[in-house]
Amino acid sequence: MRYSRRDFLKATAGSGLIALTTGSDGVVAAFAAPPVPIPTPMTKETATFNINGRNYQAEYEARTTLWEVIAVKLGLTGTNRSCNRASCGACSVLLDGTPFYSCHTLAMEAVGKKIFTVEGLGDEKNLHPMQKIGYLYMAADCGFCTPGWEVTAKGLLDKNLNPSVDEVKSALAGHICRCAAYSAIIRTVIDTGKVLRGEAEL
Amino acid sequence: MKKISVYRPTSIEEAIQILSLHGTDAGVYAGGTDLLIRLKNRLKQAPTFLVDIKKIGNLRYIKETPQGGVQIGALTKLAEIAESDVLAKKYPMLVQAFKMISSPELRNASTLGGDLLQEVWCQYLRGAYSCWRNGGYICYGAIGDNSYYHSAMGGRLCYAVYPGDAAPALITLDATVKIAGPSGIKEMSVEQLVPGDMMVDGRIQSHVVRFNEILTEVVIPPPNAGFRASFEKLRPRGVWDFAMASAALGLQLRDRTIEDARVVFGGIAGKPYRERAVEAFLKEKTLSADLANQALAAALANAAPLKYNATKIDMAKGLLASGLDKLAAS
């Protein structure tokens, strides 16, 4: 049997890619990677988002953030985006009951999860107790940070209906209010807990 | 934000294959809290291809080893570590440190591996200045405003501080990490993992994980009887901000005598700064209220602050003193 140079090259190509890597200790290790086809990466796709119990279809790019899907593509403009750098908390939403900054979560992370935004809390005809109490205590001054902390406070009250002041402070620590209505916000959350427990009347 | 493509491998082997294919154009994506800022500010070192490793099933766990230690998967969220009962019982200091990382929302998103391997938070790098890490030939922190997040212990090229809090706390506990790469699994201590600004694969980074390697696990050895630890942190805003200085302290006690000590400062140097002079001083000393003052004299003797950040050294010394005082009082 004769071996030609072409046969040898064919056999090498068939046995898979030979990758050379240098370990950080300087050892050169050669290995034959299994010939598994690498899938094409995702750049754009369409998916269903479950927001406040309703399903919405949206097309998004890999780089699209969750806030861009909620507020720009789907038009649920209650969720505000302020810093876009995961600092201020105005854009918070709940994913399966856990608060996340929606400006700093890629849209693909929220697919298949239950998204809760401030629209799910109440509307002008039917305010949530937190919104009524916040209105009475002037917890929303300019109102830009309000959707964010209300949603996070809802997430806290779903788990703990009787939070202490320190628990409210540590749960809402990721939110900045430029009007500095912090004391009113904390009182609102604690008194909302009282109303939801049935200990106080609105 | 920069245009990206996302791969979703289902096994570590596949992820490593994709990372090897794209080289430094690809990056591991898990929590994304650090990565998305790099993409939004369009830094040179922001990857074009993200490898989403969250589809790999077995990287998110906290489990006890038969010897009594704990293994933590790299994809475990910081919030899960901060609220873990197992860790709170075995390593209360670790839980205390993780509760002080960032804000609640970011702790829900970011992972342990990401916290260990995060990029520095120098305002010049994050503002896409062309500094050493971003493809340029100058450190703006060394000559510009360096009052917050720049090294007070000297530097080589990049003067930004290593920002993480997980690493100082884990070094105090003698933790090791496992790194999966094309040639198998490497093990190293956390101290070896983050040795400060290093040229790796043609990029300056704080850690030694190469472009085609993935941090998979952190292993903490079993706690000894008589081990006491504390974690102190100082930051401009009481939440969310990175440490201007932090001090992780671990003392192995026999009655009130210190048998072995670990003193690790965070936020003052390009790496978690292990202060061996204080460790040597504390050995065979008796824990007392007066010990903190004596230890301060030995601490941070080779400090080299920049123009505006000499105060970081005072902060670090103060945190060491309050940590020692707390341990002496308890």
Side-chain angles (χ1 to χ4, degrees):
Chain A
M1 197 175 175
R2 277 169 50 221
Y3 290 100
S4 70
R5 187 165 163 269
R6 176 169 296 178
D7 284 344
F8 176 74
L9 286 176
K10 267 191 206 158
T12 317
S15 68
L17 195 72
I18 307 284
L20 273 173
T21 45
T22 315
S24 58
D25 47 0
V27 177
V28 176
F31 77 107
V36 180
I38 287 181
T40 47
M42 185 275 279
T43 50
K44 197 179 239 192
E45 64 182 9
T46 307
T48 308
F49 292 88
N50 184 322
I51 306 179
N52 306 324
R54 263 189 67 189
N55 282 335
Y56 298 83
Q57 285 272 333
E59 191 194 32
Y60 58 92
E61 288 179 51
R63 61 173 171 171
T64 310
T65 59
L66 179 56
W67 179 83
E68 283 164 347
V69 167
I70 292 173
V72 179
K73 305 222 179 224
L74 301 178
L76 296 167
T77 50
T79 309
N80 289 334
R81 188 183 75 175
S82 182
C83 68
N84 200 14
R85 293 290 186 278
S87 314
C88 69
C91 63
S92 294
V93 297
L94 300 184
L95 297 184
D96 287 344
T98 315
F100 282 87
Y101 294 142
S102 69
C103 77
H104 215 62
T105 308
L106 288 182
M108 59 183 189
E109 302 299 328
V111 175
K113 290 183 179 164
K114 287 201 177 78
I115 307 168
F116 181 88
T117 68
V118 71
E119 280 92 351
L121 206 59
D123 52 38
E124 62 261 42
K125 297 264 167 51
N126 182 21
L127 287 178
H128 188 269
M130 194 190 310
Q131 292 167 313
K132 279 187 194 165
I133 296 169
Y135 164 69
L136 293 173
Y137 287 173
M138 300 223 322
D141 218 332
C142 77
F144 206 83
C145 71
T146 315
W149 67 255
E150 277 187 340
V151 163
T152 308
K154 172 78 163 48
L156 170 70
L157 291 174
D158 284 347
K159 284 174 191 144
N160 179 5
L161 259 187
N162 190 9
S164 66
V165 173
D166 283 343
E167 280 169 342
V168 174
K169 275 185 186 172
S170 64
L172 298 187
H175 296 260
I176 293 179
C177 170
R178 288 300 302 267
C179 311
Y182 295 111
S183 57
I185 291 171
I186 292 163
R187 272 200 298 156
T188 302
V189 177
I190 285 173
D191 287 5
T192 308
K194 276 184 200 161
V195 170
L196 293 178
R197 292 198 306 271
E199 288 174 13
E201 286 284 312
L202 256 180
Chain B
M1 203 190 283
K2 187 175 168 179
K3 271 203 172 180
I4 47 173
S5 311
V6 180
Y7 288 100
R8 291 153 176 166
T10 48
S11 69
I12 291 182
E13 291 76 25
E14 196 187 345
I16 288 170
Q17 209 181 335
I18 297 167
L19 287 169
S20 307
L21 178 75
H22 288 298
T24 47
D25 280 347
V28 173
Y29 164 67
T33 49
D34 164 21
L35 188 67
L36 287 190
I37 297 225
R38 268 146 61 191
L39 290 167
K40 280 176 183 173
N41 290 358
R42 291 167 190 263
L43 304 195
K44 274 251 174 56
Q45 27 142 272
T48 316
F49 297 94
L50 304 195
V51 181
D52 183 358
I53 57 172
K54 284 194 293 298
K55 293 280 183 296
I56 302 173
N58 53 352
L59 287 176
R60 190 173 169 183
Y61 52 82
I62 300 172
K63 60 185 179 199
E64 290 181 71
T65 57
Q67 292 82 26
V70 172
Q71 293 171 312
I72 310 176
L75 282 187
T76 314
K77 305 280 182 198
L78 300 185
E80 290 167 359
I81 297 174
E83 284 150 24
S84 158
D85 294 332
V86 177
L87 291 173
K89 203 174 81 222
K90 293 194 172 217
Y91 316 99
M93 178 271 267
L94 191 68
V95 171
Q96 189 197 345
F98 274 78
K99 277 183 180 156
M100 283 196 263
I101 295 176
S102 201
S103 67
E105 280 89 346
L106 285 175
R107 281 200 296 274
N108 289 334
S110 47
T111 60
L112 174 62
D115 191 278
L116 285 171
L117 305 185
Q118 64 189 307
E119 189 53 72
V120 296
W121 288 86
C122 161
Q123 70 266 37
Y124 297 106
L125 170 71
R126 296 285 166 169
Y129 281 60
S130 77
C131 71
W132 284 110
R133 285 187 189 242
N134 210 11
Y137 298 95
I138 192 171
C139 175
Y140 292 90
I143 54 173
D145 178 7
N146 44 42
S147 42
Y148 285 93
Y149 299 124
H150 292 95
S151 170
M153 302 299 294
R156 290 188 283 262
L157 294 176
C158 171
Y159 274 75
V161 296
Y162 175 76
D165 291 321
L170 288 170
I171 290 173
T172 311
L173 300 171
D174 290 338
T176 56
V177 294
K178 283 183 187 157
I179 297 166
S183 49
I185 290 179
K186 282 196 286 193
E187 278 190 53
M188 59 176 77
S189 70
V190 176
E191 204 179 352
Q192 290 166 324
L193 178 74
V194 279
D197 56 329
M198 298 272 292
M199 188 66 96
V200 180
D201 297 325
R203 299 181 292 191
I204 295 182
Q205 56 186 39
S206 308
H207 55 81
V208 296
V209 178
R210 301 195 64 218
F211 69 98
N212 55 2
E213 293 176 336
I214 298 173
L215 179 73
T216 55
E217 192 181 68
V218 175
V219 185
I220 312 176
N224 293 330
F227 183 79
R228 300 252 207 86
S230 80
F231 187 87
E232 308 283 326
K233 179 172 175 179
L234 204 62
R235 44 190 167 171
R237 180 178 155 193
V239 70
W240 185 79
D241 267 326
F242 291 91
M244 282 191 76
S246 65
L249 214 70
L251 302 181
Q252 182 63 50
L253 297 177
R254 185 178 7 93
D255 298 326
R256 304 277 298 169
T257 311
I258 299 166
E259 282 189 320
D260 198 4
R262 293 275 182 285
V263 179
V264 187
F265 291 110
I268 61 165
K271 59 181 176 182
Y273 192 83
R274 191 162 162 195
E275 183 49 305
R276 287 173 200 274
V278 179
E279 288 178 13
F281 168 81
L282 286 176
K283 244 176 216 174
E284 301 305 324
K285 296 280 190 306
T286 309
L287 198 55
S288 65
D290 193 38
L291 191 62
N293 276 332
Q294 300 166 24
L296 283 191
L300 301 175
N302 51 352
L306 298 168
K307 192 170 179 186
Y308 302 107
N309 67 4
T311 177
K312 281 167 95 81
I313 298 297
D314 300 334
M315 289 176 181
K317 284 184 180 175
L319 292 178
L320 171 65
S322 65
L324 272 175
D325 283 344
K326 256 183 215 169
L327 290 183
S330 67

